[in-house]
Amino acid sequence: MKKVWFTILTLVYLEHSMRVGSAPICAYGQAGCLLPSLAELFDRVIQHSSRMHGISSDLHSEFEQYFLPSKNLIGKRKCHTYGILTPDDKENAQRIGREQLTEVILRLLGAWGDPMSQFYQSMSEDQDQDFNHYSSNKALEVGDMVHELRDGVSKMAERMKLLGVLDNTVGFISPESFVPLSGISFYKRGELRSMDHHDLLSCFRRDSNKVKNYLQILKCTTLPGLDC
Amino acid sequence: MRTDLGLALLLLLSAAVESNSMSPPGKPVLLGCRSPEKETFTCWWEPGSDGGLPTTHRFLYERERLEGTHECPDYLTAGKNSCFFDKVHTSIWVDYYLTVVASNALGNATSDPFKIDVMEIVMPDAPGNISLRVMKREDNPYLHVRWESPQNTDTKSGWVTIKYELRFKQENSNEWKEYTSGTQTQFNLYSIEPEVTYVVQVRCRLDHSSWSEWSNSSSVKTFNYPQSEKPFWILLSSLSTVPFLTLCVLVMKRKYVKQCLLPPVPGPKIRGIDVHLLKGRPEDVNNALINNQTFPSVSAWKDESEEYLIVSDDVRLPDSYSSQKRKKSLTIAAGLLLDFETHCKELSLSQMDREKAEERKHEINNFANSNASLSGVGLFKKETLPEAADQTWSSCDPAESSVLSICGYVDIHRHKNTQEVDVNEVDYTRVKEVNGDKILILHKDRVHGCEDVQTREENIPEDYSRVEEVVGDYQLLLQRQSSSWEKSDRYTVFTNKKPRNPHETGACVTKVGPDLIVSEYVDTFPTPPLM
């Protein structure tokens, strides 16, 4: 009888303690706020990356619509992130493991922070081009998004390390070590500045898609649940 | 012969034609590629003319980060003129450069290069196994749709995220209504009509890829259920009560509303007069006008020495007066109605300003003299001296003989001294009647200031005496108003009568003639102390 009561009480206590309060959520664990769970962090990060990819697709398609009528273009393009080795299909992504996947994500995000911030500058300087207001707004926005997403993923990685899900081999990665020419200058091809921007946008679209997919795989391998 | 020649020609022509159809193949055209789940993809091409010879096509590709040119791994799985890339050969986020080469015995033809990235060519299959049912509920049945994700997509690993869209229409119409389902594989449609066949279709997409085709239709017919029209009536009644209520409020509070909307415009208001009384009876009108009227204060009078008109008989007048006070004479034309009330100020003198007074006197004199033709009573105006305490009335100038009727008031100002004049005690004397040559019947009103005319009627001072009888030449029998006719109350009035009290006055009727008609009260007035 006593045992039954004890178990009941323990269950009640556990249930009560696990209830989510209405305290504000904070990232640093300040006094008086609840830390978000890992699942919540994942959701936020994935949402953010999805949005970033959407904007990059829009930018690319608008660019192609206005400036480049023919769809299939000559010339093999090269992205400035070619030095970063990324898994190029599902099996490989699942095979390399969480730590490496996280590292790849962080590298990619680190490599794209500066170019996208400079992209808007470069766009507005070029008088030949006539980016409409809607696109220029997105161009401004996307520069910040890359930085924010990078910070978010870093925090998430820290949390995963704390939880023991991630090994400590993942460290802070400086983007310069893997990118030969950081920034937008990689894409300059002489006089044809519109070409530079086209390559930049298609490379960015691709890499943002990679980031999004990798994050989703990371989530489902770390926290298999309803969404996966 | 000719037929043979023709036949030979025909044969030659046909042979020539036939030999011309053999040519290198036409250029094939790559139609497009598609990946249904982002793990494999298929490409299709359109061959050109085959040139009459058996033509083979080869599908070649080059890939980013992969050396060399490769050929399609699978020509068969996807059908004719297609190339299927399985998972092993598929890489995402890399560019493929595709070409198709058609070749026959006579030559080759290469299509234009076609660049793809698998990420861009994703288009899932349509969802399948759609079930549409009518779910029964009390008054509100609804449609329930359920489906399955396309079979080849892998959502478990999180590689792709599927989003669904569905559309409904009634069988007869052509209008579709679209709804988004998110990642759910079921959907409920409420607010359906009875006895209608509904058709539903579903489609999906992977992340930001292209939408799939619409799935096969699934239809169901709803049964007949009593449709409640409650919402309609509820809405109607609630909408109609609102204006009704506002009308009620307006009617009930119409005064207030009227005040708000049409504020009353203030009308002119005369101070001291109650407008409502003016609308009533004449007596009330009088009351209204007179009662509340306040004349302007006569404080200014204090500073001025007042003129007074002395009607006197030289004989009767005490010598002291006549010698001291008389300075000028003032004749007033007969028949002149002087409204002394209004001319109080004009006739009053500023004791500080005797020159002005003299001017005025001159004026009046002149005026009076100009009317010398008129017979009238000469009135002597005497200037008051500061020490003068009382005034006397003197009778009229006996010079004239005609009847003069002067009905105005003559102001008498009584001064104790210059500063302290009880201005409230302004004695008006009304010349009631001039009878005969030398008689002025004076009625003296003791009026308090110029303001209080009304009090005359109300507060008839006890100094009013009614002339009861004229006895002899120099006697008037006066009767006190308040008392009855008693001889004991009679008293003879002489000009030299000593007052009973300082404020008691004596009547001064001088020169009573035979034709004296006394019909009114004769006021008594104080005898001057100098007497």
Side-chain angles (χ1 to χ4, degrees):
Chain A
M1 196 57 200
K2 273 190 187 174
K3 278 186 183 174
V4 171
W5 273 113
F6 178 73
T7 16
I8 289 171
L9 281 171
T10 323
L11 283 171
V12 167
Y13 170 75
L14 280 173
E15 201 254 324
H16 181 75
S17 63
M18 279 196 286
R19 211 171 285 155
V20 177
S22 61
I25 292 178
C26 55
Y28 297 102
Q30 298 112 339
C33 56
L34 281 175
L35 285 175
S37 66
L38 192 60
E40 282 171 358
L41 277 176
F42 261 119
D43 283 337
R44 284 193 212 177
V45 157
I46 286 169
Q47 248 181 26
H48 205 79
S49 69
S50 175
R51 183 133 190 273
M52 191 176 76
H53 174 62
I55 291 176
S56 69
S57 303
D58 291 341
L59 279 172
H60 182 262
S61 58
E62 279 165 25
F63 198 94
E64 278 205 331
Q65 198 177 355
Y66 288 122
F67 302 111
L68 303 160
S70 63
K71 205 168 185 186
N72 269 308
L73 262 192
I74 26 89
K76 303 193 176 184
R77 68 157 176 250
K78 215 173 179 186
C79 295
H80 75 288
T81 51
Y82 72 87
I84 305 172
L85 291 171
T86 57
D88 54 7
D89 61 16
K90 186 177 79 171
E91 285 76 19
N92 291 337
Q94 285 170 327
R95 209 177 297 151
I96 63 167
R98 288 194 287 259
E99 291 80 7
Q100 272 201 297
L101 201 56
T102 315
E103 210 172 297
V104 163
I105 293 166
L106 287 169
R107 277 186 207 167
L108 282 170
L109 288 171
W112 276 105
D114 285 337
M116 290 320 288
S117 304
Q118 293 165 14
F119 169 65
Y120 180 73
Q121 275 289 3
S122 175
M123 280 297 306
S124 43
E125 277 165 11
D126 194 356
Q127 279 103 18
D128 293 339
Q129 293 179 1
D130 189 22
F131 242 24
N132 62 14
H133 180 69
Y134 187 57
S135 297
S136 65
N137 203 30
K138 286 186 196 172
L140 257 182
E141 195 184 354
V142 85
D144 290 335
M145 289 184 85
V146 178
H147 289 288
E148 284 167 11
L149 190 60
R150 186 171 171 227
D151 292 339
V153 174
S154 305
K155 290 200 177 89
M156 199 182 69
E158 294 299 315
R159 176 67 76 79
M160 285 165 78
K161 281 189 210 171
L162 280 175
L163 291 173
V165 175
L166 215 59
D167 290 343
N168 284 330
T169 54
V170 181
F172 179 75
I173 293 123
S174 63
E176 285 76 24
S177 55
F178 295 99
V179 175
L181 279 170
S182 68
I184 210 168
S185 54
F186 181 84
Y187 296 97
K188 285 217 165 99
R189 286 195 202 178
E191 296 300 319
L192 293 166
R193 296 191 71 172
S194 60
M195 294 293 289
D196 313 337
H197 290 146
H198 181 258
D199 280 354
L200 177 81
L201 286 174
S202 47
C203 284
F204 180 60
R205 182 171 70 138
R206 176 186 282 179
D207 284 344
S208 60
N209 195 281
K210 281 187 192 177
V211 164
K212 186 174 108 167
N213 258 137
Y214 296 157
L215 280 170
Q216 277 174 332
I217 289 180
L218 194 62
K219 181 196 169 189
C220 288
T221 54
T222 314
L223 304 167
L226 287 170
D227 293 341
C228 295
Chain B
M1 187 58 179
R2 279 201 186 134
T3 50
D4 284 337
L5 211 61
L7 216 64
L9 271 168
L10 268 170
L11 273 166
L12 268 169
L13 272 167
S14 57
V17 165
E18 272 182 43
S19 63
N20 280 339
S21 66
M22 289 200 224
S23 64
K27 201 162 129 177
V29 176
L30 272 163
L31 296 172
C33 305
R34 180 181 160 227
S35 167
E37 75 290 77
K38 213 170 172 182
E39 295 175 50
T40 65
F41 72 101
T42 314
C43 288
W44 294 271
W45 70 84
E46 174 86 31
S49 62
D50 62 351
L53 296 166
T55 317
T56 56
H57 293 87
R58 287 180 70 206
F59 188 96
L60 304 170
Y61 70 93
E62 288 167 21
R63 204 197 80 179
E64 196 179 335
R65 296 193 210 216
L66 194 66
E67 292 295 331
T69 308
H70 305 269
E71 196 174 345
C72 170
D74 188 340
Y75 285 103
L76 303 169
T77 311
K80 199 177 176 201
N81 294 329
S82 69
C83 177
F84 175 76
F85 290 81
D86 58 3
K87 284 185 189 179
V88 175
H89 293 94
T90 307
S91 296
I92 324 292
W93 306 302
V94 288
D95 289 332
Y96 282 82
Y97 299 92
L98 312 169
T99 51
V100 177
V101 178
S103 56
N104 62 5
L106 290 177
N108 296 333
T110 313
S111 66
D112 292 330
F114 196 78
K115 187 182 83 166
I116 59 147
D117 185 337
V118 176
M119 167 186 84
E120 297 165 2
I121 57 167
V122 177
M123 181 172 146
D125 293 331
N129 206 3
I130 301 168
S131 73
L132 177 63
R133 284 186 298 167
V134 183
M135 306 298 275
K136 288 181 190 175
R137 227 167 54 161
E138 291 266 329
D139 278 331
N140 301 316
Y142 59 94
L143 288 177
H144 179 77
V145 194
R146 193 182 280 267
W147 61 88
E148 286 175 4
S149 66
Q151 287 185 348
N152 45 13
T153 54
D154 176 20
T155 52
K156 297 260 177 201
S157 64
W159 183 241
V160 286
T161 314
I162 302 185
K163 285 184 195 150
Y164 298 100
E165 229 179 50
L166 28 78
R167 63 180 186 181
F168 287 90
K169 79 163 181 172
Q170 294 182 12
E171 200 172 37
N172 307 324
S173 76
N174 276 330
E175 279 185 37
W176 290 96
K177 252 197 145 181
E178 294 193 4
Y179 301 90
T180 315
S181 168
T183 57
Q184 302 290 320
T185 55
Q186 57 188 354
F187 188 80
N188 292 330
L189 184 73
Y190 302 96
S191 71
I192 54 174
E193 294 174 28
E195 303 229 337
V196 172
T197 305
Y198 280 94
V199 182
V200 70
Q201 284 184 328
V202 191
R203 69 174 182 181
C204 59
R205 86 196 301 210
L206 304 176
D207 299 322
H208 290 278
S209 74
S210 317
W211 283 103
S212 70
E213 297 289 336
W214 286 105
S215 67
N216 294 332
S217 302
S218 183
S219 55
V220 77
K221 183 165 180 183
T222 54
F223 52 84
N224 189 12
Y225 62 90
Q227 240 182 352
S228 63
E229 295 188 346
K230 267 191 204 168
F232 173 70
W233 286 114
I234 289 170
L235 191 69
L236 190 68
S237 57
S238 62
L239 281 179
S240 59
T241 47
V242 167
F244 180 69
L245 281 173
T246 47
L247 266 175
C248 280
V249 166
L250 280 176
V251 165
M252 276 164 51
K253 303 263 179 190
R254 58 182 178 276
K255 277 190 185 169
Y256 182 67
V257 170
K258 195 181 167 188
Q259 209 174 3
C260 272
L261 292 175
L262 308 166
V265 176
K269 196 176 177 191
I270 303 169
R271 196 160 46 134
I273 291 181
D274 193 1
V275 179
H276 294 294
L277 287 179
L278 288 176
K279 296 174 190 167
R281 302 170 297 166
E283 305 89 68
D284 290 340
V285 173
N286 271 337
N287 289 346
L289 287 173
I290 292 165
N291 262 346
N292 297 328
Q293 241 178 354
T294 56
F295 290 106
S297 66
V298 294
S299 55
W301 289 39
K302 284 184 187 177
D303 296 330
E304 298 169 312
S305 65
E306 289 95 350
E307 280 181 15
Y308 58 92
L309 295 166
I310 300 175
V311 179
S312 65
D313 187 2
D314 290 338
V315 178
R316 295 290 169 197
L317 204 64
D319 290 334
S320 55
Y321 260 96
S322 60
S323 60
Q324 290 171 21
K325 292 181 184 172
R326 189 197 307 183
K327 282 206 175 168
K328 283 200 176 171
S329 66
L330 180 71
T331 52
I332 295 175
L336 191 71
L337 266 173
L338 294 173
D339 187 3
F340 284 94
E341 287 176 13
T342 56
H343 290 138
C344 286
K345 261 197 181 163
E346 289 179 14
L347 299 176
S348 63
L349 286 176
S350 167
Q351 287 187 345
M352 306 302 159
D353 197 1
R354 300 230 175 141
E355 290 82 17
K356 225 199 275 180
E358 287 176 5
E359 276 179 53
R360 283 215 200 109
K361 285 180 196 171
H362 280 296
E363 281 178 57
I364 296 166
N365 272 334
N366 293 337
F367 173 74
N369 288 332
S370 64
N371 295 323
S373 57
L374 292 171
S375 61
V377 176
L379 296 172
F380 290 93
K381 184 176 69 71
K382 287 202 170 172
E383 188 184 13
T384 55
L385 294 178
E387 292 76 25
D390 285 316
Q391 301 165 9
T392 52
W393 278 98
S394 53
S395 68
C396 42
D397 189 354
E400 304 301 329
S401 58
S402 60
V403 176
L404 178 73
S405 61
I406 295 173
C407 299
Y409 283 99
V410 176
D411 285 347
I412 302 172
H413 295 282
R414 195 177 303 143
H415 294 272
K416 303 281 181 209
N417 49 44
T418 50
Q419 282 80 30
E420 297 172 17
V421 172
D422 185 5
V423 296
N424 288 333
E425 294 272 329
V426 174
D427 293 330
Y428 286 82
T429 301
R430 190 153 81 101
V431 175
K432 170 60 186 177
E433 196 173 343
V434 173
N435 204 348
D437 293 343
K438 294 150 193 178
I439 298 171
L440 264 185
I441 311 295
L442 300 175
H443 300 272
K444 185 168 151 203
D445 297 332
R446 181 168 293 161
V447 180
H448 292 267
C450 284
E451 319 151 64
D452 206 359
V453 181
Q454 183 59 25
T455 56
R456 177 176 69 88
E457 296 181 359
E458 292 166 2
N459 308 321
I460 297 173
E462 58 184 24
D463 294 321
Y464 280 83
S465 310
R466 194 161 189 260
V467 175
E468 184 193 356
E469 191 183 345
V470 177
V471 176
D473 282 348
Y474 304 104
Q475 277 190 356
L476 279 177
L477 284 176
L478 298 176
Q479 180 215 353
R480 285 229 176 251
Q481 184 197 5
S482 54
S483 58
S484 58
W485 289 93
E486 288 178 28
K487 289 227 169 168
S488 60
D489 286 336
R490 291 195 210 155
Y491 51 90
T492 56
V493 178
F494 298 94
T495 56
N496 297 331
K497 185 179 188 303
K498 292 264 187 255
R500 277 185 236 167
N501 55 54
H503 295 290
E504 195 176 312
T505 60
C508 175
V509 178
T510 59
K511 213 45 169 292
V512 179
D515 293 333
L516 177 68
I517 298 169
V518 179
S519 61
E520 284 282 331
Y521 287 99
V522 176
D523 289 340
T524 59
F525 60 93
T527 54
L530 290 173
M531 289 177 63

